[in-house]
């Protein structure tokens, strides 16, 4: 989507006039990323690269405190190069080189801090072809140079007409370029139905079916391939959203279950989230800098029907007004997670084997089998 200003103005003001949180979009001029602190002259076109379609706020807001104070800098915080991104929580502008370095350093730190990887691990990257998994593939291909582990990609095609095809094609090309083996699975072959077909019969929200059935394929296939970890592209926003959703849905036990590597079950392949400390916007910028193609059809057409969507939008608005909100929610989530885990009985964290398919689950029959038999 392109926007043009009718007068000389700062991009952040233009965005706020349109009711769009700066936190929710990437901006580019002439194909290059531009920080929202920069000014545009009258008539200059700016492209909004949506990494998620965010509905405009009903009432546009004035830029708040920190945005009023945030001054565009013509230089990166670490060198004299032109900056491409502004990090409001640090009040710093970064050029591509220093942004990439910061990004990769943070991913390595998270991997160490949460003990995600060990030498010799065989990691399957859940690669949908969206910006998060694209960024994850790229950054893990760099991290593996200093911490030897193997990577391959697991792509699941749910069968959403007109949505996944392009992303899967992009993912295929990128795997080829990086020399990463890619395995593609479809809902149709694995579950007998595409998600579109499931949607016609199911009573639940489509995303509930999609998430459960996708995770089931990932776990089964990772185990069959002899992988030791499944890496997923969840970023800081996803963690903050999950924390809020657990509260809204009154599902405190899920706090304890978030870090699946804590649960031992030989059939369960532990999941890791190397991007969990990085904001979605920065993940989007990193993917863009490494060739991810954004297109107007970036989002699944069903995405807006999920509660997560509204939570995402509210958190973006909050982050815009109070930078650091998301990381504070994520930190609270980590603290609560440890407390809940210590206070619940070990028994409730244990996993059984599904009576139907043998996959690990907390009940007698796994959610995937229940869902498929209810259709
Ligand atoms: Fe599946 Fe929902 Fe995501 Fe679409 S938005 S891919 S239906 S989980
Ligand atoms: Zn099952």
């Amino acid at each position: 989507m392109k926007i043009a200003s009718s007068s000389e103005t700062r991009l952040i003001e233009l965005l706020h006039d349109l009711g769009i949180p700066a936190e929710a979009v990437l901006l580019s001029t002439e194909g290059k990323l531009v920080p929202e602190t920069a000014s545009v002259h009258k008539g200059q076109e700016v492209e909004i690269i949506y990494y998620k379609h965010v509905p405009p706020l009903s009432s546009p807001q004035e830029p708040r405190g920190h945005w009023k104070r945030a001054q565009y800098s013509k230089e990166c915080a670490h060198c004299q190069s032109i900056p491409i991104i502004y990090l409001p929580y640090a009040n710093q502008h970064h050029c591509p080189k220093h942004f990439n370095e910061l990004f990769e350093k943070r991913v390595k730190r998270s991997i160490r801090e949460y003990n995600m990887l060990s030498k010799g691990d065989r990691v399957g990257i859940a690669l949908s072809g969206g910006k998060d998994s694209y960024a994850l593939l790229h950054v893990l291909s760099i991290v593996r140079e200093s911490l030897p582990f193997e990577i391959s990609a697991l792509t699941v095609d749910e069968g959403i007409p007109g949505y996944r095809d392009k992303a899967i094609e992009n993912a295929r090309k990128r795997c080829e370029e990086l020399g990463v083996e890619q395995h593609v699975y479809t809902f149709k072959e694995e579950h007998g139905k595409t998600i579109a077909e499931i949607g016609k019969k199911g009573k639940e929200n489509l995303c509930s079916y999609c998430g459960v059935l996708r995770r089931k394929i990932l776990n089964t296939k990772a185990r069959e391939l002899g992988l030791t970890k499944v890496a997923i592209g969840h970023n800081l926003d996803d963690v903050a959203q999950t924390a809020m959703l657990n509260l809204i849905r009154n599902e405190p036990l899920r706090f304890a279950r978030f870090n699946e590597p804590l649960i031992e079950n030989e059939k369960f392949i532990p999941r890791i989230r190397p991007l969990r400390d990085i904001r979605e916007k920065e993940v989007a910028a990193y993917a863009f800098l490494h060739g991810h193609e954004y297109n107007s059809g970036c989002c699944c057409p069903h995405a807006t029907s999920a509660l997560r969507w509204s939570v995402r939008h509210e958190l973006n608005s909050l982050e815009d007004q109070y930078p650091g909100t998301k990381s504070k929610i994520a930190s609270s989530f980590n603290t609560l997670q440890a407390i809940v885990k210590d206070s619940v009985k070990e028994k409730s964290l244990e996993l059984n084997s599904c009576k139907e398919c043998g996959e690990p689950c907390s009940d007698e029959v796994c959610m995937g089998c229940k869902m498929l038999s209810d259709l």
Side-chain angles (χ1 to χ4, degrees):
M1 172 180 162
K2 289 199 171 132
I3 52 171
S5 172
S6 53
S7 59
E8 164 133 13
T9 183
R10 291 203 314 154
L11 279 165
I12 184 64
E13 271 141 32
L14 197 56
L15 284 177
H16 280 246
D17 283 350
L18 293 166
I20 298 171
E23 182 62 16
V25 291
L26 287 180
L27 301 166
S28 85
T29 49
E30 290 148 26
K32 293 212 174 85
L33 291 181
V34 60
E36 49 275 26
T37 44
S39 297
V40 274
H41 52 73
K42 189 177 166 190
Q44 185 180 349
E45 274 198 343
V46 180
E47 179 141 23
I48 296 186
I49 307 171
Y50 277 97
Y51 56 85
K52 290 284 176 192
H53 292 285
V54 177
L57 298 173
S58 44
S59 48
Q61 298 168 347
E62 274 285 292
R64 292 263 187 138
H66 84 277
W67 280 118
K68 282 199 172 143
R69 289 191 299 274
Q71 292 294 319
Y72 176 66
S73 164
K74 287 189 179 144
E75 289 184 358
C76 164
H78 303 289
C79 70
Q80 279 85 49
S81 307
I82 297 171
I84 49 102
I85 193 159
Y86 174 63
L87 310 179
Y89 51 86
N91 192 20
Q92 282 188 351
H93 289 79
H94 280 219
C95 70
K97 176 176 178 285
H98 287 104
F99 171 68
N100 281 333
E101 278 180 15
L102 178 74
F103 188 98
E104 286 153 18
K105 204 166 110 191
R106 286 217 218 121
V107 171
K108 285 183 190 166
R109 192 183 61 197
S110 305
I111 290 175
R112 261 199 322 273
E113 227 170 75
Y114 299 100
N115 225 352
M116 291 183 198
L117 289 173
S118 319
K119 207 169 162 185
D121 258 331
R122 302 189 64 213
V123 182
I125 300 169
L127 183 69
S128 66
K131 60 163 196 333
D132 299 302
S133 61
Y134 185 98
L136 182 62
L137 172 68
H138 191 89
V139 73
L140 286 188
S141 72
I142 287 176
V143 176
R144 75 175 159 173
E145 288 163 13
S146 53
L147 179 71
F149 56 91
E150 286 176 33
I151 53 173
S152 58
L154 308 173
T155 300
V156 178
D157 183 354
E158 302 90 347
I160 301 167
Y163 162 55
R164 273 282 186 250
D165 317 358
K166 187 149 194 259
I168 288 179
E169 179 53 21
N170 284 343
R172 190 190 61 73
K173 269 202 252 154
R174 198 64 184 135
C175 283
E176 258 178 38
E177 284 159 12
L178 293 171
V180 172
E181 190 179 5
Q182 185 193 25
H183 306 270
V184 181
Y185 307 101
T186 66
F187 266 37
K188 186 78 179 173
E189 275 174 27
E190 303 301 326
H191 297 312
K193 295 176 183 65
T194 64
I195 192 70
E197 288 163 352
I198 291 172
K200 283 185 197 143
K201 295 195 174 166
K203 297 178 200 81
E204 306 280 332
N205 180 297
L206 197 64
C207 296
S208 311
Y209 292 103
C210 191
V212 168
L213 296 173
R214 189 188 317 114
R215 282 194 292 277
K216 187 166 160 133
I217 294 177
L218 286 173
N219 194 63
T220 315
K221 297 301 169 186
R223 197 176 58 239
E224 285 174 14
L225 291 166
L227 304 179
T228 55
K229 304 273 164 64
V230 172
I232 46 183
H234 281 178
N235 53 51
L236 180 69
D237 293 46
D238 295 314
V239 177
Q241 288 157 22
T242 301
M244 296 306 291
L245 285 168
N246 287 354
L247 288 175
I248 293 170
R249 292 179 176 142
N250 188 22
E251 292 178 326
L253 260 189
R254 284 185 181 259
F255 280 108
R257 289 218 172 102
F258 187 74
N259 256 356
E260 288 94 343
L262 298 173
I263 300 168
E264 301 234 344
N265 180 299
E266 57 186 18
K267 287 192 169 174
F268 185 81
I269 308 302
R271 288 181 214 141
I272 56 169
R273 299 170 174 82
L275 307 179
R276 62 181 286 166
D277 293 328
I278 303 184
R279 292 185 315 152
E280 184 167 1
K281 179 166 175 138
E282 289 170 42
V283 174
Y286 186 81
F288 181 84
L289 291 173
H290 294 285
H292 180 64
E293 289 172 31
Y294 286 89
N295 52 45
S296 54
C298 74
C299 299
C300 171
H302 306 287
T304 49
S305 62
L307 174 59
R308 184 177 279 273
W309 186 263
S310 307
V311 171
R312 168 199 307 281
H313 186 50
E314 294 307 324
L315 288 180
N316 276 337
S317 302
L318 272 174
E319 181 74 33
D320 233 18
Q321 294 170 46
Y322 309 101
T325 296
K326 291 177 191 172
S327 52
K328 284 177 196 147
I329 295 175
S331 300
S332 301
F333 181 65
N334 292 341
T335 311
L336 282 172
Q337 195 188 352
I339 296 169
V340 174
K341 186 166 189 310
D342 284 349
S343 67
V344 290
K345 293 195 185 86
E346 280 296 312
K347 196 106 197 86
S348 54
L349 290 177
E350 273 175 19
L351 293 173
N352 306 317
S353 287
C354 169
K355 281 205 306 206
E356 305 285 329
C357 69
E359 279 296 292
C361 63
S362 44
D363 280 329
E364 289 199 340
V365 176
C366 77
M367 190 57 92
C369 285
K370 273 188 212 157
M371 284 180 159
L372 289 169
S373 69
D374 285 350
L375 290 174

